[in-house]
């Protein structure tokens, strides 16, 4: 998997799926329109601030709440390349992997807002602008393959359909 470079956008604890993608927009099915509402429940101007490849850095229990895949879809479609958090709600974590969005658990990572981060998924490291490095638990081989192919559907097509 290639190296991910992006600016950090910080959020606190218990960011739920309704803050990531508010339920009032669930009737939208076009992914480009879904992307317009990323993180709207906590920062209505979020999509105006981010660029393709940026990274969310959050506290504990990111993605808690409902099991809606829209929360991951909106982040990916808005251009978020990874989410780093102290911990994730398990269903959000699984949805992210299934849709090909890297989700990385690191306890109490210190970063500045809009600081550039470099994530090397293969080496399980994150480097800050100041040179400080963080390590995280490597993804198992099968999850790496799912992420590399862009999600579970592509993984299935590549490995099961021949």
């Amino acid at each position: 998997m290639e190296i991910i470079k992006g600016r950090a956008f910080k959020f606190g604890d218990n960011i739920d799926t309704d803050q990531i993608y508010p339920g009032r927009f669930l009737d939208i099915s076009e992914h480009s329109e879904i992307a317009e509402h990323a993180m709207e429940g906590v920062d209505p101007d979020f999509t105006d601030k981010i660029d393709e490849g940026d990274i969310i850095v959050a506290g504990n229990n990111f993605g808690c709440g409902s099991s809606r895949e829209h929360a991951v879809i909106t982040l990916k479609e808005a251009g978020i390349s990874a989410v780093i958090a102290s911990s994730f709600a398990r269903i959000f974590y699984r949805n992210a992997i299934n849709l090909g969005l890297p989700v990385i658990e690191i306890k109490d990572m210190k970063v500045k807002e809009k600081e550039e981060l470099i994530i090397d998924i293969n080496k399980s490291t994150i480097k800050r602008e100041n040179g400080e490095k963080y390590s995280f638990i490597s993804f198992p081989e099968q999850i790496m393959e799912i992420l590399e192919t862009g999600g579970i559907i592509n993984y299935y097509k590549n490995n099961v359909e021949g």
Side-chain angles (χ1 to χ4, degrees):
M1 184 162 208
E2 64 187 58
I3 291 182
I4 297 168
K5 291 182 184 178
R7 296 176 303 155
F9 285 84
K10 295 172 57 173
F11 294 93
D13 294 337
N14 300 312
I15 300 297
D16 65 38
T17 53
D18 203 50
Q19 291 172 302
I20 298 168
Y21 186 73
R24 66 183 177 274
F25 301 117
L26 285 174
D27 61 336
I28 299 172
S29 60
E30 191 64 41
H31 284 193
S32 61
E33 290 180 46
I34 289 172
E36 296 172 14
H37 302 287
M39 302 304 288
E40 190 169 308
V42 67
D43 181 355
D45 300 319
F46 180 72
T47 56
D48 296 328
K49 298 175 187 176
I50 62 169
D51 293 321
E52 185 79 24
D54 284 339
I55 299 162
I56 289 177
V57 178
N60 289 307
N61 205 24
F62 188 86
C64 58
S66 77
S67 61
R68 68 179 74 136
E69 287 182 330
H70 289 73
V72 176
I73 293 168
T74 193
L75 295 177
K76 275 196 72 168
E77 293 297 319
I80 296 300
S81 62
V83 180
I84 302 165
S86 296
S87 66
F88 292 91
R90 298 325 305 164
I91 191 89
F92 178 89
Y93 185 92
R94 192 66 231 181
N95 284 340
I97 297 299
N98 285 345
L99 293 171
L101 178 67
V103 281
I104 299 165
E105 283 192 16
I106 295 182
K107 302 284 183 213
D108 304 317
M109 184 172 166
K110 306 290 187 225
V111 297
K112 297 176 191 166
E113 185 76 9
K114 297 184 182 177
E115 173 181 2
E116 185 170 282
L117 302 175
I118 300 170
I119 303 171
D120 187 331
I121 299 287
N122 292 327
K123 293 182 180 177
S124 304
T125 60
I126 300 172
K127 185 177 177 183
R128 293 184 55 200
E129 284 178 355
N130 66 7
E132 183 177 15
K133 279 190 177 181
Y134 289 83
S135 295
F136 56 90
I137 296 172
S138 299
F139 291 108
E141 184 178 329
Q142 188 175 23
I143 288 179
M144 284 293 288
E145 289 180 33
I146 292 168
L147 291 172
E148 287 170 355
T149 59
I152 195 75
I153 292 172
N154 291 334
Y155 174 81
Y156 177 81
K157 287 178 181 178
N158 290 345
N159 291 287
V160 177
E161 291 183 352

